[in-house]
Amino acid sequence: VVRNGVFGGRIADTVSRFGGEVIPIDLEWGTVVTPEEIRKAFSRNRCRALFLVHAETSTGAHQQHMREIGQIVHENGALFLVDTVTSLGGTEVKIDEWGIDAAYSGTQKCLSVPPGLSPITLNEKAMQKLREKKARSWYFDLGMIEEYWNEGHQRKYHHTAPINMIYALHEGLRLVFQEGLDARFQRHRRNAAALQAGLETLGFTYLVKKQNERLPMLHAVYLPDGLEEGKLRQNIRARYNIEIGGGLGEFSGKAWRIGLMGHSSTKDKVGRLLNSIGEELKKHAIIDDATIGFQTAQAIYQNSER
Amino acid sequence: VVRNGVFGGRIADTVSRFGGEVIPIDLEWGTVVTPEEIRKAFSRNRCRALFLVHAETSTGAHQQHMREIGQIVHENGALFLVDTVTSLGGTEVKIDEWGIDAAYSGTQKCLSVPPGLSPITLNEKAMQKLREKKARSWYFDLGMIEEYWNEGHQRKYHHTAPINMIYALHEGLRLVFQEGLDARFQRHRRNAAALQAGLETLGFTYLVKKQNERLPMLHAVYLPDGLEEGKLRQNIRARYNIEIGGGLGEFSGKAWRIGLMGHSSTKDKVGRLLNSIGEELKKHAIIDDATIGFQTAQAIYQNSER
């Protein structure tokens, strides 16, 4: 299990609760794992699976080299398991091309559907593993659920489905399809670039040091010196009706997590946020001109439209 | 674990998957357990908990003597765990008076809220048990969830809540409160009595032999001789837009399960169902007058209004 943030740590906890032996690959938060580190881990241990988070929501780190990592995992006869909660619908997730055997996501991130469902995917190899022995959890017994949804099986009742959520997911996916994946990913990248430029102009710095490892949909940033993060977040919420996430885990009370996900990833929202932050920073005399963040973002949009 | 239907059996399965030793109290389906049988089970075994289903949705059996059973459980120093999925909101569920230590339910039955949430309740004794050791499941770790919702704790993030469902539950509970529990239970009983009289006139017989052990919200019945249950259910669905549940478990293909739950428990629905069944039975020459079931139900309503 790659632990480079809250959610990698949570996976390790979950695996050990079920009696699995966890071999952690511990990294500095805000970084991602390299293929070399994966190779090293396999050379030292006999691992049956590699589990990693594609988009670490606690730090904004965007796992790279997924295809190469998938190859290393399979060369070692292991399963490649991936958390795609924050990435699905906002950036490329290539299950088969990357050799992912099983992945899960959530509906409430870049699909812009209410929370309450977890889309999952498993290939035949992963399903065979599941069928080998009875699951400890009745609720999570995918072998039983397979008897409901798989072709060639009688639809055997497992649970009452949350039908309203499924209608919501259908509508969310329809909108994704209508926009097109490429256009959607480009929109996320464009708004991310504008927000990043604006935030940096305002004196914010990113937890993830390498620019190419930053997520377009989750911006985890340290504030300029001399500001109390909780107070500032509360003010922005009260005065401008914008909710910003606080830091998770070791970044609690130290950093912000700004979401630009799905339908919320718009030029208008980037502008409103940067102006709101600008107004507050001006009050604290951190900057003289409240609009400098917004202006930088505008320039990025103009460049990208040329 | 009392096993008197599909859901009692499911509880036993769930307990054994988690490594619990299950001592089943096996009963004929369609019956409920007596306090004497509970006493006997405790005299033969050292049990840490008694688990039973209050309203067995597969048979329509309504567990009686809950208070007395609760006393026996506590005299033996065990926990009293109850499935109230189908009973909550449709008939009395007295958690504290009956000595129930923990219970769960569903929103999609007599609360008439979309499926997707499970209301649960645990008393301090049950919570202490939970705190004794780390839960095997991260998802179901109520000790962690306690850190989110309990007074005196900082609201520590465990999961993203399905907020839309919670709004739906709030509205469902508001409607329950507006109607009043007594009026609601009486409504369920009145419509159940009318439906039962109508079904019996049409030649249906109940799986649950004892009238006082039948649920008001779930009518599990055998069809009159000479009818194919699946075909008839399909016809009623196609022609009258009424969906009837098929038998579960050993009653699959043999019986019907007719729900009269929450907002669906109305005089109008009872009448429409009985007329629809009547029409079909007349086509099969089982009865001469398609309206006899409906007429019997009407008489029950008139009597109850006097």
Side-chain angles (χ1 to χ4, degrees):
Chain A
V1 177
V2 176
R3 292 197 297 199
N4 61 337
V6 166
F7 297 96
R10 183 178 288 188
I11 290 167
D13 181 19
T14 304
V15 172
S16 69
R17 281 168 188 256
F18 273 92
E21 191 192 342
V22 176
I23 297 161
I25 302 176
D26 280 318
L27 305 172
E28 193 188 339
W29 285 28
T31 66
V32 295
V33 75
T34 62
E36 198 39 56
E37 286 165 316
I38 301 285
R39 234 183 275 276
K40 211 182 290 175
F42 274 107
S43 71
R44 288 183 185 152
N45 310 279
R46 230 182 115 251
C47 306
R48 287 190 289 176
L50 177 76
F51 212 144
L52 62 75
V53 178
H54 184 217
E56 179 55 69
T57 326
S58 62
T59 66
H62 192 170
Q63 181 61 51
Q64 305 294 310
H65 314 293
M66 292 293 285
R67 190 190 309 255
E68 199 179 339
I69 292 172
Q71 281 168 356
I72 299 166
V73 172
H74 293 301
E75 282 163 16
N76 286 279
L79 287 170
F80 189 23
L81 313 177
V82 181
D83 172 324
T84 67
V85 169
T86 294
S87 47
L88 190 71
T91 188
E92 276 193 342
V93 176
K94 303 220 161 193
I95 300 294
D96 293 332
E97 283 188 33
W98 296 347
I100 296 173
D101 295 297
Y104 55 80
S105 189
T107 50
Q108 77 278 17
K109 302 286 185 188
C110 295
L111 297 178
S112 291
V113 170
L117 287 181
S118 296
I120 53 166
T121 182
L122 296 98
N123 64 12
E124 183 54 27
K125 197 169 136 197
M127 282 307 299
Q128 271 174 5
K129 266 276 175 240
L130 281 181
R131 294 186 202 110
E132 277 173 19
K133 59 177 174 184
K134 196 169 178 178
R136 284 213 194 150
S137 164
W138 194 92
Y139 187 88
F140 287 116
D141 188 339
L142 293 179
M144 286 181 81
I145 295 172
E146 183 184 30
E147 295 183 357
Y148 183 76
W149 50 256
N150 234 16
E151 276 181 71
H153 286 76
Q154 211 195 338
R155 288 167 74 85
K156 206 168 153 188
Y157 167 70
H158 179 268
H159 63 275
T160 300
I163 38 171
N164 299 55
M165 280 302 306
I166 289 165
Y167 281 113
L169 176 60
H170 184 272
E171 178 62 12
L173 293 175
R174 194 188 64 75
L175 292 171
V176 170
F177 189 74
Q178 191 177 49
E179 181 175 13
L181 282 178
D182 286 343
R184 195 171 179 91
F185 299 159
Q186 203 187 333
R187 171 166 64 80
H188 277 82
R189 280 194 303 271
R190 190 171 55 238
N191 293 318
L195 179 65
Q196 181 183 310
L199 287 172
E200 288 180 337
T201 301
L202 290 169
F204 288 78
T205 53
Y206 276 70
L207 262 61
V208 177
K209 298 288 170 265
K210 293 187 186 168
Q211 179 145 3
N212 69 324
E213 294 175 358
R214 293 178 192 161
L215 288 169
M217 67 286 277
L218 195 288
H219 297 249
V221 287
Y222 294 113
L223 283 69
D225 287 340
L227 291 168
E228 202 187 320
E229 75 85 17
K231 193 87 188 287
L232 200 62
R233 267 199 298 139
Q234 277 167 29
N235 287 344
I236 288 174
R237 187 174 172 178
R239 291 177 190 154
Y240 312 97
N241 205 22
I242 297 172
E243 185 169 4
I244 295 172
L248 282 181
E250 60 184 62
F251 298 120
S252 176
K254 295 180 192 162
W256 281 359
R257 293 179 312 126
I258 301 170
L260 267 187
M261 298 181 185
H263 290 298
S264 293
S265 178
T266 64
K267 185 173 172 178
D268 173 59
K269 290 218 162 65
V270 168
R272 279 171 56 200
L273 175 64
L274 290 171
N275 276 332
S276 309
I277 297 174
E279 293 287 345
E280 292 299 310
L281 295 197
K282 196 182 166 193
K283 280 186 203 159
H284 286 83
I286 308 273
I287 53 173
D288 298 324
D289 177 0
T291 69
I292 55 165
F294 177 70
Q295 286 171 28
T296 316
Q298 285 287 71
I300 296 284
Y301 282 119
Q302 278 159 16
N303 276 329
S304 74
E305 278 155 18
R306 257 176 223 151
Chain B
V1 176
V2 177
R3 292 199 296 199
N4 61 336
V6 167
F7 295 96
R10 182 178 289 187
I11 290 167
D13 181 18
T14 304
V15 172
S16 69
R17 281 168 188 257
F18 272 93
E21 190 193 344
V22 176
I23 298 160
I25 302 176
D26 281 318
L27 303 173
E28 193 188 341
W29 284 29
T31 67
V32 296
V33 74
T34 62
E36 197 40 54
E37 286 166 315
I38 301 286
R39 232 183 276 277
K40 212 182 288 174
F42 273 108
S43 71
R44 286 183 187 155
N45 309 280
R46 230 182 115 251
C47 305
R48 286 190 290 177
L50 176 76
F51 211 144
L52 62 75
V53 179
H54 184 218
E56 179 55 69
T57 325
S58 62
T59 66
H62 191 171
Q63 181 60 52
Q64 305 294 309
H65 314 293
M66 292 293 284
R67 189 190 308 256
E68 198 180 339
I69 292 171
Q71 280 168 357
I72 299 166
V73 172
H74 292 300
E75 281 163 16
N76 286 280
L79 287 170
F80 189 23
L81 313 176
V82 181
D83 171 325
T84 66
V85 170
T86 294
S87 48
L88 190 71
T91 188
E92 276 194 342
V93 176
K94 303 220 159 193
I95 300 295
D96 293 331
E97 282 186 35
W98 297 347
I100 296 173
D101 295 298
Y104 56 80
S105 189
T107 50
Q108 76 278 16
K109 302 286 186 186
C110 295
L111 297 178
S112 290
V113 169
L117 288 181
S118 297
I120 54 165
T121 180
L122 298 98
N123 64 14
E124 183 54 27
K125 198 171 137 194
M127 282 307 300
Q128 271 176 4
K129 266 274 174 243
L130 281 181
R131 292 187 203 111
E132 277 173 18
K133 59 179 173 182
K134 196 170 178 178
R136 283 213 195 149
S137 164
W138 193 92
Y139 186 88
F140 287 116
D141 188 339
L142 294 179
M144 286 181 81
I145 295 173
E146 182 184 30
E147 295 182 356
Y148 183 75
W149 48 256
N150 235 17
E151 277 182 69
H153 285 76
Q154 211 194 339
R155 288 168 75 83
K156 206 169 153 188
Y157 167 69
H158 178 268
H159 64 276
T160 299
I163 38 171
N164 298 56
M165 280 301 307
I166 290 167
Y167 281 113
L169 177 60
H170 185 271
E171 178 63 10
L173 293 176
R174 193 187 65 75
L175 292 171
V176 170
F177 188 74
Q178 191 178 47
E179 181 176 14
L181 283 178
D182 287 343
R184 195 171 178 91
F185 298 160
Q186 203 188 332
R187 171 166 64 81
H188 277 82
R189 280 195 302 270
R190 190 170 56 237
N191 293 317
L195 179 65
Q196 180 182 310
L199 287 172
E200 288 181 336
T201 300
L202 291 169
F204 288 78
T205 53
Y206 276 70
L207 263 60
V208 177
K209 297 289 171 265
K210 293 188 187 168
Q211 178 145 4
N212 69 324
E213 293 175 358
R214 292 177 192 160
L215 288 169
M217 66 287 279
L218 196 288
H219 297 248
V221 287
Y222 293 114
L223 283 68
D225 287 340
L227 291 167
E228 203 189 317
E229 76 84 16
K231 195 87 187 287
L232 200 62
R233 266 197 300 138
Q234 276 167 30
N235 286 345
I236 288 175
R237 189 174 171 177
R239 290 177 190 154
Y240 312 98
N241 205 21
I242 297 172
E243 185 168 3
I244 295 172
L248 281 181
E250 59 184 63
F251 299 119
S252 176
K254 295 181 193 162
W256 281 359
R257 294 179 312 126
I258 301 171
L260 267 187
M261 297 180 187
H263 290 299
S264 293
S265 177
T266 63
K267 186 174 173 178
D268 174 60
K269 291 219 161 64
V270 168
R272 280 173 56 200
L273 175 63
L274 290 172
N275 276 331
S276 310
I277 297 174
E279 293 288 346
E280 292 300 310
L281 295 197
K282 197 183 166 194
K283 279 185 204 159
H284 285 84
I286 308 271
I287 53 174
D288 298 326
D289 177 359
T291 69
I292 56 164
F294 178 69
Q295 286 171 29
T296 315
Q298 285 288 69
I300 296 284
Y301 282 120
Q302 277 160 17
N303 276 329
S304 76
E305 278 156 17
R306 255 175 221 151

